Amino acid sequence: MIITCPKCFSAEDVRPPRRLPDQVLQYQCLNRVHGDHEWFTTRQAVQPLGTVEEGVTDELLDPLSKCVEPGDPFLEYGVVEHRLRARYPDLFAAHVAEQGHSMFGPRPYTASSVRFGVALGRLERMGELVSEYGPATGAWRHNGQVTYWARTPTTDRLTWAAHCTQLGRSPEWTDNDRADLKQPPAADSTRC
């Protein structure tokens, strides 16, 4: 099972979990970009093996690459995801239907973390994008900080909240955001 860090969306620097009482798992990511980060979850919340297949993010590489345009400032993650949904609605909806999304409520793993974020990280490793960490705004603020994406380093940023202001929409999740999307059933809590 591949566990990704909720800060860097990568599995490369995540250490094996430490088992704590009451079936709690403690994970730690040692990625130098964001420094040591740890989080806790339960065995029941961890997805069953096989729900995320190898190569599942391959189909996201080209569309996500096109969502960060030359000349863009660093875009808060939510702006990139919003562009993906607007430009590739069927692709976005399919991944949300399989993996879920925080707009429907908290989930340990969502399409944002284990699909879209992983694909963006792959694009960065391929040299197509660069990222930096910054404040999470609006509906994403529960993360504290998130990645910002650009083609080349820049000093300018576009936050999700500012993007929403430009569009005349709320920076929080709305019924329109949830429309036409399906949330997968909760993970089977009897499996570990």
Side-chain angles (χ1 to χ4, degrees), residues 35-48:
D36 292 359
H37 173 68
E38 66 180 32
W39 68 99
F40 301 88
T41 189
T42 63
R43 283 193 279 163
Q44 292 85 0
V46 177
Q47 296 173 331

Side-chain angles (χ1 to χ4, degrees), residues 107-127:
R107 287 181 72 89
Y109 305 101
T110 64
S112 300
S113 64
V114 299
R115 301 279 178 95
F116 310 143
V118 169
L120 286 166
R122 287 178 65 190
L123 289 168
E124 183 173 35
R125 288 188 298 280
M126 294 164 54

Side-chain angles (χ1 to χ4, degrees), residues 6-7 9 37 76-77 81 101-108 110 112-113 135-146 160 171-173:
K7 276 200 164 196
F9 302 118
H37 173 68
E76 184 176 350
Y77 169 80
E81 185 178 288
H101 199 283
S102 61
M103 73 176 76
F104 293 100
R107 287 181 72 89
T110 64
S112 300
S113 64
T137 65
W140 300 100
R141 75 179 164 277
H142 66 274
N143 291 313
Q145 65 175 350
V146 293
W160 167 246
E172 304 302 326
W173 300 127

Side-chain angles (χ1 to χ4, degrees), residues 59-113:
E59 70 179 350
L60 293 167
L61 295 176
D62 185 56
L64 279 167
S65 179
K66 291 177 180 173
C67 290
V68 181
E69 299 169 358
D72 275 341
F74 270 111
L75 304 173
E76 184 176 350
Y77 169 80
V79 176
V80 178
E81 185 178 288
H82 186 259
R83 287 181 177 179
L84 178 69
R85 182 177 185 174
R87 296 174 185 180
Y88 305 91
D90 294 338
L91 179 66
F92 180 86
H95 282 273
V96 170
E98 290 175 11
Q99 200 60 52
H101 199 283
S102 61
M103 73 176 76
F104 293 100
R107 287 181 72 89
Y109 305 101
T110 64
S112 300
S113 64

Side-chain angles (χ1 to χ4, degrees), residues 140-191:
W140 300 100
R141 75 179 164 277
H142 66 274
N143 291 313
Q145 65 175 350
V146 293
T147 49
Y148 282 67
W149 298 92
R151 287 265 168 210
T152 57
T154 175
T155 57
D156 297 326
R157 285 185 176 172
L158 177 61
T159 66
W160 167 246
H163 175 70
C164 290
T165 298
Q166 290 173 354
L167 296 176
R169 61 154 285 156
S170 170
E172 304 302 326
W173 300 127
T174 67
D175 289 339
N176 284 341
D177 292 320
R178 290 181 278 276
D180 301 323
L181 294 177
K182 295 178 183 163
Q183 178 74 350
D188 182 353
S189 62
T190 61
R191 296 177 70 179

